[in-house]
Amino acid sequence: MTRRRLIAWTAAAAAAFGAGGTLTACSSSPGSASAPPPPSEGPSDSFSPTAPTEPPGVLGLPDPSASPVAVRSKPVFKVHDLLPNAPSNAVALTIDDGPSRRYTPEVLQLLRKYDVRATFSVVGIEAHADKDLIRQIAADGHTLANHTMTHPQPFSRRSEAQIQQQIADTQSVVVDAAGAEPKLFRSPGGDWSPAVFAAVAKYGMTPIDWDVDPRDWSRPGTRKISEKLLAAKPGDILLCHDGGGDRSQTVEALRTVLPALKAKGYSFVTL
């Protein structure tokens, strides 16, 4: 990794961080498998910095054009759309915008306590700052997904080069920390376009979304987060956040939700 790129990442991170030293996450409204609605960008476009414009596929990653996958026209909204052989009672917990030094360890502790595996959609600048947490997530058996380098919104309006660079840089960071490339990609705010789908396929990934969104990023209260998650049905993909701000309500909700969903007979799977 070149010194220039490290300096650029540091500058982007500094611009993205608020006075309190945390990123403000954004989310979208839950999608629909048949006709996903336009994304809602959350409280602000606070992840606006983008990495410097350079050709994608740098930092030692293999040429993405060598092993592309089929380009999809929509993301995955349901567990069985991606994992047709998953148990009929399967649900998937996805956790976005980390890792966070403050909240990711608490989330990991709860997942260990209740023997739950999750899918972490990580932001590259956060992963670069906390590679030990990325390694711990992988070591605990969770799946790592690519969630762009700086979480820019609206992501679909970036140029093709910027979209590919956001993806390529995050792939490189995760490979450096965990030793394996993510096979899943989640767009910031659930914002998709043909260019995004093409870039995701070029890097050998599957685009994933969700269908249960408690909007925990908005801090609506632990009770509201819990109620929304507890209403999950078999096959649902649940969205939560461990980064991007104060995630104490999310952590408290998961203390109740994880054992309650298991008691209802649901099986947690990674995507």
Side-chain angles (χ1 to χ4, degrees):
M1 184 180 301
T2 65
R3 175 179 175 81
R4 183 167 64 84
R5 182 172 291 276
L6 281 171
I7 292 173
W9 280 355
T10 302
F17 273 86
T22 57
L23 287 159
T24 303
C26 300
S27 177
S28 78
S29 300
S32 165
S34 58
S40 164
E41 295 172 14
S44 68
D45 186 10
S46 57
F47 282 93
S48 57
T50 59
T53 302
E54 290 184 11
V58 294
L59 303 179
L61 287 176
D63 179 3
S65 63
S67 57
V69 299
V71 178
R72 297 177 63 101
S73 60
K74 63 181 180 180
V76 170
F77 290 95
K78 292 284 189 178
V79 169
H80 298 97
D81 292 340
L82 181 65
L83 305 171
N85 295 323
S88 60
N89 61 349
V91 293
L93 174 63
T94 62
I95 302 172
D96 288 16
D97 293 358
S100 158
R101 294 178 186 177
R102 174 67 179 86
Y103 297 106
T104 303
E106 293 186 49
V107 172
L108 288 173
Q109 185 179 29
L110 285 173
L111 295 175
R112 290 187 208 107
K113 179 177 180 180
Y114 296 109
D115 193 26
V116 168
R117 301 294 178 270
T119 299
F120 285 78
S121 302
V122 299
V123 174
I125 56 172
E126 303 290 7
H128 180 66
D130 286 293
K131 292 182 181 179
D132 286 345
L133 278 175
I134 294 296
R135 283 188 279 269
Q136 188 61 61
I137 290 169
D140 282 6
H142 306 296
T143 297
L144 290 163
N146 185 320
H147 198 36
T148 72
M149 193 66 192
T150 61
H151 204 289
Q153 288 187 271
F155 187 55
S156 66
R157 296 182 190 174
R158 267 52 186 183
S159 69
E160 290 185 15
Q162 289 174 326
I163 288 170
Q164 291 191 36
Q165 185 179 329
Q166 285 278 332
I167 293 172
D169 287 351
T170 306
Q171 290 291 85
S172 182
V173 169
V174 176
V175 168
D176 184 46
E181 292 184 43
K183 298 300 182 184
L184 303 171
F185 176 83
R186 174 168 280 166
S187 187
D191 184 21
W192 304 97
S193 70
V196 174
F197 287 125
V200 171
K202 188 180 234 185
Y203 284 88
M205 290 184 288
T206 299
I208 60 170
D209 230 310
W210 61 85
D211 55 0
V212 175
D213 181 6
R215 298 176 65 84
D216 62 323
W217 55 266
S218 67
R219 304 186 72 246
T222 300
R223 180 177 177 179
K224 288 188 176 181
I225 297 171
S226 299
E227 288 176 347
K228 185 69 174 180
L229 294 174
L230 288 171
K233 299 177 182 178
D236 282 347
I237 297 176
L238 287 56
L239 174 65
C240 285
H241 297 78
D242 63 338
D246 183 346
R247 299 293 165 245
S248 57
Q249 292 181 1
T250 302
V251 172
E252 289 307 308
L254 289 175
R255 292 186 196 281
T256 300
V257 169
L258 295 180
L261 289 180
K262 293 195 74 173
K264 290 171 70 172
Y266 290 172
S267 298
F268 284 88
V269 298
T270 57
L271 297 176

